[in-house]
Amino acid sequence: MTMTDTISDAEYRTGEIRVHGSEGFEGMRKAGRLAAECLDMLIPHVVPGVSTGVLDDLAREFVLDNGGLPACLGYKGYMHTVCISTNHVVCHGIPSDRLLREGDVANIDVTVIVDGWHGDTSRMYGVGQVSPRARRLVDVTYEGLERGLATIKPGSTFGDIGHAIQKYVEAQRCSVVRDFCGHGLGRVFHDAPNVLHFGRAGEGPVLEEGMFFTVEPMVNLGRPQVKVLSDGWTAVTRDKSLSAQCEHSVGVTKDGIEIFTASPTGQFKPAIAGEG
């Protein structure tokens, strides 16, 4: 989500970070699993020559056929099930008749609703053989997410999450996008708090058992600045450098973290073929 966004479901967003009980955890497990299964399903279809619109159609049919609803369909006028962001597109890429090409890297982001609960996740896909620099960017992005997730437990802070991601990513000579962030979710699509992917350790709200939110770092090979195109959705890197993102929906447990959107088949990080 954008940090300057006006949330359309604001009448349900109180500004307070919600704390959920066992019912919430059960609801989020079902929603998160379906979202992850959708992205698993798409893996063999992300190949040279397929259009991003076809991938969107496949995702929509899968979600509906498996008892869910596409959360993005109709959200603020967005008329697709997923966002597909290729190469220098940072996020919110709109599916179309554009064909994927050999060497592209693409982020696919899906949010589903199951029994009123939201499952939100994204991951990177390589289209055929990708360059070593693109594969490295993807690896750095996933490792950044893992380091952020590793800080999550009661008593830690949201600043700890952002600090861990930023420290690692910048040490790899990449940059963290500042214009977009993670968010609380549950029965509300975008809820408090904003989850920054940069920051200082020890700062921000303290994590408590029962908090649900996304962690979804966007990492650029070049500078962190982005711009939104005239369609009002698509965000791209200003310097046209490659960008990557990965996202999980998580809950804080009494002693750590539960990842609701873990791939049931262990394919949250699909194999990306690289040259050399």
Side-chain angles (χ1 to χ4, degrees):
M1 65 173 287
T2 172
M3 290 177 60
T4 58
D5 205 8
T6 300
I7 305 300
S8 67
D9 51 14
E11 63 268 31
Y12 305 111
R13 182 173 179 170
T14 65
E16 300 292 327
I17 303 175
R18 301 174 200 260
V19 174
H20 303 268
S22 58
E23 177 186 359
F25 275 88
E26 184 58 32
M28 291 296 288
R29 288 182 191 116
K30 293 178 180 178
R33 183 181 179 91
L34 179 58
E37 288 174 339
C38 180
L39 295 186
D40 283 353
M41 177 274 299
L42 289 174
I43 292 173
H45 300 284
V46 181
V47 294
V50 70
S51 75
T52 55
V54 164
L55 297 177
D56 185 64
D57 290 340
L58 289 170
R60 182 171 59 257
E61 292 168 5
F62 181 86
V63 172
L64 293 172
D65 287 348
N66 286 277
L69 295 172
C72 291
L73 190 60
Y75 183 73
K76 297 187 178 182
Y78 191 79
M79 297 311 297
H80 300 275
T81 296
V82 298
C83 296
I84 303 180
S85 304
T86 57
N87 301 327
H88 75 293
V89 178
V90 176
C91 61
H92 302 160
I94 302 173
S96 68
D97 58 1
R98 178 195 184 278
L99 302 181
L100 295 178
R101 296 173 295 184
E102 183 83 15
D104 284 345
V105 287
N107 174 271
I108 303 181
D109 189 340
V110 64
T111 306
V112 306
I113 305 172
V114 177
D115 297 332
W117 296 93
H118 291 75
D120 188 0
T121 185
S122 81
R123 64 180 78 158
M124 295 298 298
Y125 299 76
V127 184
Q129 292 283 324
V130 306
S131 68
R133 62 200 297 268
R135 186 171 57 171
R136 177 177 176 275
L137 172 66
V138 171
D139 288 342
V140 168
T141 305
Y142 273 89
E143 181 63 23
L145 173 64
E146 289 295 327
R147 294 195 180 211
L149 296 180
T151 70
I152 297 174
K153 61 183 178 181
S156 294
T157 70
F158 282 96
D160 294 336
I161 301 172
H163 176 75
I165 295 170
Q166 180 185 11
K167 181 180 179 181
Y168 173 75
V169 168
E170 292 181 352
Q172 303 306 309
R173 302 183 303 283
C174 296
S175 63
V176 178
V177 171
R178 265 65 164 176
D179 297 70
F180 300 91
C181 60
H183 53 90
L185 82 169
R187 290 192 174 275
V188 177
F189 189 173
H190 292 110
D191 208 352
N194 291 341
V195 182
L196 306 184
H197 305 116
F198 60 95
R200 296 182 178 179
E203 293 190 348
V206 176
L207 301 179
E208 298 179 28
E209 181 182 357
M211 290 181 175
F212 299 162
F213 50 88
T214 70
V215 183
E216 47 184 297
M218 288 157 245
V219 177
N220 297 344
L221 264 182
R223 297 181 180 277
Q225 288 79 17
V226 307
K227 64 179 179 179
V228 177
L229 301 183
S230 59
D231 60 30
W233 288 101
T234 309
V236 300
T237 56
R238 284 191 175 273
D239 61 7
K240 298 184 180 180
S241 63
L242 290 176
S243 186
Q245 181 190 15
C246 49
E247 173 185 14
H248 270 316
S249 296
V250 305
V252 182
T253 66
K254 64 179 180 180
D255 53 6
I257 183 177
E258 179 171 349
I259 299 174
F260 299 125
T261 48
S263 165
T265 59
Q267 298 181 91
F268 176 65
K269 186 180 180 183
I272 293 181
E275 300 170 351

